[in-house]
Structure formats: C-alpha cells, structure tokens
Amino acid sequence: MTEAAAPVIRLNASDNVLIALADLPGGLHVAGLDVPLPGPVPRGHKLAAAAIAGGDRVIRYGQIIGVATEAIPEGAHVHSHNLGMGAHDPDYAFATDLRPLPQVQPAQFMGYAREDGRVGTRNYLGVLTSVNCSGSVARFIAEAAEREDWAGDIDGVVPIVHGTGCGMSGENEGYQTLYRTLQGYARNPNFGGILLVGLGCEVMQVPDLVGQGRMRSDGNFRYMTIQGTGGTRKTVERGVAMLREMAEVAGRARRTSAPASELTIGLQCGGSDGYSGITANPALGFASDLLVAQGGTTILSETPEIYGAEHLLTRRAVSREVGEKLVERIRWWEEYTARNGGEMDNNPSPGNKKGGLTTILEKSLGAVAKGGTAPLAGVYKFGEEITTPGFVYMDSPGYDPCSVTGQIASGANLVCFTTGRGSVSGYKPVPCIKLATNDEMYARMADDMDINCGDIVSQGVSIEDKGHAILDLILRVASGETTKSEELGFGGAEFVPWQIGAVM
C-alpha cells in the first residue's frame, strides 16, 4: 500500500498503544511505526505502538488497562484476544491530588422553587407505586389523568412502576435500598406532587413509607391502597380526583430565576466505545467542573464501571474518610459479585467490546473522565439524599436505568448521558441530555442525540470549548428547553430500583 499518515492518536506519552481514528487496513504504514500494520484495526480500537511481550502491562491514558496474554507485535490489533485484566492492586493515596476549580462567571437558570429549598427543572405529578402489584393501576390512573383538560397546567403525570416491593425481606439491605429509592422519588424537586398507590398486602407497606418520615414538605401528597379503596375502578376514579386536586397546587408554580448552584446533575455513560474516554466523557467532565465551580452538584455513579480507576477518585477525595467510603463500596462489590457467581471484569458488554473497549480497567478509566478533576466531596449509598454540594459519588450498578434511578432518588434534577454505540432512553421526571462520542453515530442517530462530541477528534474542537457548550445546554434545558428523549416521549419505563437480595 501507499505510505500515508494514518489517523491514530496516542493519548499519553507513556502509552504503549495507539487508538485508531478510522478503520485501518492491514499493510498500512502508520506514522511513528517501523513496520506496516500486520492486520486490520477497526475504528476506536487499539494497536501496539511497539512490540509488547507476553505478561507486560498495556498502558492507555498513562494508566494500566491490563496485561498482554501473549506477545503482541508492533502495530498489531490489541483487544480481548491478546489482552487480559491482570492483577488489580491500586495505590489509593488518599487526598493527594486536590486541584483548583476553574474560574467562572455566575450563571442562572429558570426553575421551580420548592418549599424544601430545592429547585426543580420540570413540574410533573407522579403516581408512585409501593409494589409491582399496583403498577398497572398506577398506569391506568396516569393515562386517565393525562386525558383531562387540567393536565395541561403541569408537565404531565408520570407513573412510577417497578418489579419489586414484595417477595422480599422486610428488614435487610434490599428493603432499605428500595425504601430510600421510593422516598427519594417522592421528594425529587421535579415533582410538584405525588400520589402513592399500593395494593395493601405487600412487604413494602404504604403506612411504613408514609409513617417513617414526611414524604413531601409541601404537603402535596396523597396515598391509598387498591384493597382499601375497593378495587381497580374505584381506585382509578379516586386517583384521578386526587391528582386533579394536586394539579391545582402544582399548576400554580412558575419558573423563576435560580443560581446554577441549585442544579444537581447525574453523570452517566452507556453503550460506551473507544471514543468515550477521548471525547464526550472528558468534555462532560469539564462541564462538571464548571458547574461545581458555580456551587452546583454533580453525581458520578456505576461502581462496576469505575473499578480499576477508583484510585483516581480517592486521590481527589477531600479527606481520607471520604476516600475510604469509596473503597468500602469497592470491597462490597467484589464480595457481591463473587457470591453471585460473577466477577468485576464481566462488565464490558459485547457492544463495548465491538466499539474498542477490552477490560473493565480500560472502560473505567474512560468512564471516570465524566467526573472532571474537581475534589470528591462525598460518597453516598444508592438513592441516599445528597447533602454535600460539589462533585460526589453515589454507589450503583453499571446498568444505566438502575443507576439513573438511584441518582434521581438522591436528588438529581437533570441527567447528562454520554454514549458511543447509541443508547436511547429518558428518565421522567428528569430531562436527559444525550452526548454522542463520535460523528458517525451522531449522524446515524441524530433524532436521539443532543450534542455531538465527535468533532473533538474530527475537527479539533477543544475539550474546554465543548465543555462550555455542554454547560450552556444544561442551563437551557434546566430552564425548560426540551431534550431529544423528551420529544420522543421516553421516561415511562426507565424507573428501575436496584433489587438486592433473595426474591422469595
């Protein structure tokens, strides 16, 4: 083949792999390599920058992503056929890498001020269920209410249904996790009112949810059970009447100016690829730093997808205590996956691997970039109320709908979601901004994507400029501009509480 400078990138001077920025055919001469490529390398995948001996560490982002399971010739494709995870023994170096935040101008958005002091970006009514057995009735109520003229005074009625609430212990970790999740949704500032509907005989009892703490400080809250109300038809009729009353209160809310410090953003990635850690994730990370500098809050999650990169977070912890809380969660996950017959490296999906990611260490290093460089101010359990502003961590599975469910329960009023393969979803009552990692997917799925970050590679747009563009869109969406997922109607099926423990 004719010699040419092939499109590749080295992300760190110490890396011994390059990243292909286009599909590279075998035989191509790549600038910086002494030999032509021995075989093809797909876009987003890795190739050896020099010969790598079997057992040697493979380095990307200046960090270990695994070890070579066999000798890898210079220029060869580096992937799951010759790269394994290897030992995982990080140096946590607690609170040794605290960096200053960027200088910013104060920003505002137009939101709904709530009685508890928080600010919503949307104004929905929710029909919350204590158990799967009341799920269909909750949908019937929401559907009937949406047909009413008064429903136009609010953003809509959201049925919040799920697959658990019974057939479980009433005391263990799983019960407490579900309890926090339901309580957190009831209090999310994007709801102007909540109707709680149970069956009546379930483990997650409605009186327990109501009696252990006031579910909403504004009092715009009602509850009932299907058995106590007299069956499906009577429950639907009563539910619509209750929502009508709550809509009169919620409908009086008006958007007013609020500082950006009132924003709490869930940081998510799904359907990641080899570009995620190069484009969208670091750009979102820069936007996260900008928001934290405003006094706002950003939430990183998905514990199986920071595994192998958690040391980058513990070094940014504001104290050893905060860093050790994160390590405790990592240890919990190692035990949790082991007792369920899994392992932490099971996480990369077939789509992740097709997009160029190999080990969980590699995936995690790219995923952590969503959190920027701000100090880690706090670590929380799934669905636990966030009480510390700044950049924080909330423990969750890597399964996106479940992870976002926890972030919303913890108080997120907006979600930013990066994707390389093209995840489609939405998370009522919270708007979700989708960020594409590459040009090709953005063009193919433009109806689902809000921002293209692929131009960071294709056109040389800086991470900083893209981060500012992301923050600008965050402020506009928080003020009422609709996202692509909202326009498509997503959000009715993505409430997925984390189900921990035996189903009995």
Side-chain angles (χ1 to χ4, degrees):
M1 292 187 64
T2 304
E3 285 206 17
V8 296
I9 186 172
R10 189 194 298 262
L11 301 177
N12 186 284
S14 63
D15 290 357
N16 58 5
V17 292
L18 306 173
I19 309 303
L21 302 180
D23 290 331
L24 306 181
L28 184 71
H29 286 265
V30 175
L33 298 186
D34 295 329
V35 298
L37 299 186
V41 181
R43 179 178 63 86
H45 285 238
K46 301 172 291 297
L47 58 143
I52 303 172
D56 280 1
R57 292 172 171 176
V58 176
I59 309 297
R60 178 180 178 173
Y61 305 114
Q63 301 286 332
I64 299 166
I65 63 169
V67 297
T69 56
E70 61 185 52
I72 304 176
E74 181 178 357
H77 185 203
V78 179
H79 200 38
S80 51
H81 61 288
N82 56 16
L83 174 61
M85 182 167 164
H88 172 56
D89 186 23
D91 177 8
Y92 290 129
F94 299 107
T96 59
D97 188 20
L98 299 175
R99 306 179 191 180
L101 292 168
Q103 296 294 313
V104 295
Q105 293 294 322
Q108 304 279 318
F109 72 102
M110 300 296 290
Y112 295 98
R114 302 302 186 190
E115 202 166 288
D116 63 0
R118 293 189 289 181
V119 179
T121 63
R122 296 293 184 268
N123 191 32
Y124 284 99
L125 292 180
V127 185
L128 181 66
T129 54
S130 61
V131 66
N132 175 260
C133 306
S134 57
S136 289
V137 172
R139 290 192 187 279
F140 298 157
I141 293 170
E143 290 165 1
E146 288 275 20
R147 293 192 291 268
E148 300 281 336
D149 290 340
W150 52 261
D153 294 331
I154 54 176
D155 287 328
V157 180
V158 183
I160 311 164
V161 303
H162 55 95
T164 183
C166 204
M168 63 190 299
S169 168
E171 299 177 347
N172 66 0
E173 188 175 23
Y175 179 90
Q176 293 301 324
T177 299
L178 179 59
Y179 180 86
R180 285 197 306 271
T181 303
L182 297 177
Q183 285 270 352
Y185 260 70
R187 295 168 179 164
N188 189 281
N190 284 14
F191 280 124
I194 287 286
L195 169 61
L196 173 63
V197 180
L199 176 61
C201 56
E202 61 269 22
V203 171
M204 182 61 69
Q205 284 281 294
V206 167
D208 291 340
L209 279 166
V210 175
Q212 292 184 28
R214 193 177 184 192
M215 293 194 77
R216 288 188 64 87
S217 60
D218 61 7
N220 207 19
F221 172 73
R222 306 285 189 279
Y223 60 93
M224 60 179 169
T225 66
I226 298 167
Q227 292 168 353
T229 304
T232 298
R233 293 188 187 278
K234 291 179 181 178
T235 304
V236 172
E237 291 171 2
R238 187 177 178 189
V240 172
M242 288 177 169
L243 289 174
R244 185 182 296 110
E245 294 173 0
M246 288 191 289
E248 291 181 7
V249 176
R252 297 187 200 118
R254 295 292 181 268
R255 290 187 181 272
T256 57
S257 182
S261 59
E262 296 298 334
L263 288 172
T264 299
I265 310 295
L267 308 174
Q268 283 288 324
C269 60
S272 300
D273 68 352
Y275 279 63
S276 294
I278 304 172
T279 62
N281 285 1
L284 179 55
F286 190 81
S288 172
D289 286 346
L290 293 174
L291 185 65
V292 169
Q294 297 270 358
T297 302
T298 59
I299 311 170
L300 185 66
S301 298
E302 302 177 285
T303 309
E305 297 182 13
I306 66 158
Y307 191 73
E310 72 271 18
H311 61 288
L312 301 181
L313 297 174
T314 60
R315 295 174 184 185
R316 292 161 50 190
V318 296
S319 67
R320 183 182 186 93
E321 179 185 15
V322 168
E324 286 180 338
K325 284 184 179 180
L326 182 60
V327 175
E328 185 275 327
R329 289 288 86 197
I330 294 290
R331 298 291 173 257
W332 184 94
W333 271 93
E334 289 174 332
E335 190 275 332
Y336 175 64
T337 52
R339 75 173 183 255
N340 285 287
E343 57 186 58
M344 296 299 281
D345 199 36
N346 287 159
N347 181 275
S349 69
N352 295 153
K353 293 178 179 179
K354 188 173 182 180
L357 299 177
T358 307
T359 67
I360 187 56
L361 304 183
E362 180 181 18
K363 182 177 180 180
S364 293
L365 288 163
V368 164
K370 299 192 303 293
T373 62
L376 178 64
V379 174
Y380 295 86
K381 290 185 177 181
F382 185 93
E384 187 178 2
E385 182 182 0
I386 304 295
T387 56
T388 304
F391 170 63
V392 301
Y393 191 85
M394 185 209 74
D395 182 33
S396 82
Y399 182 42
D400 305 319
C402 182
S403 183
V404 176
T405 294
Q407 291 178 330
I408 294 172
S410 287
N413 52 12
L414 194 147
V415 169
C416 288
F417 191 121
T418 70
T419 180
R421 304 299 294 171
S423 293
V424 296
S425 55
Y427 302 95
K428 290 178 182 177
V430 172
C432 177
I433 295 172
K434 289 286 176 56
L435 295 84
T437 71
N438 63 83
D439 291 344
E440 186 276 332
M441 188 275 289
Y442 178 77
R444 179 163 38 88
M445 300 185 67
D447 289 343
D448 291 274
M449 299 295 122
D450 296 288
I451 291 185
N452 178 30
C453 297
D455 53 9
I456 292 171
V457 165
S458 63
Q459 299 180 36
V461 175
S462 71
I463 295 290
E464 294 78 9
D465 285 348
K466 188 62 67 171
H468 280 287
I470 293 169
L471 180 61
D472 179 67
L473 182 57
I474 286 172
L475 294 171
R476 299 197 323 262
V477 168
S479 299
E481 182 174 318
T482 57
T483 65
K484 296 291 183 66
S485 63
E486 288 181 296
E487 292 171 0
L488 290 166
F490 278 104
E494 286 88 353
F495 177 69
V496 182
W498 185 6
Q499 194 165 347
I500 304 173
V503 178
M504 296 176 282

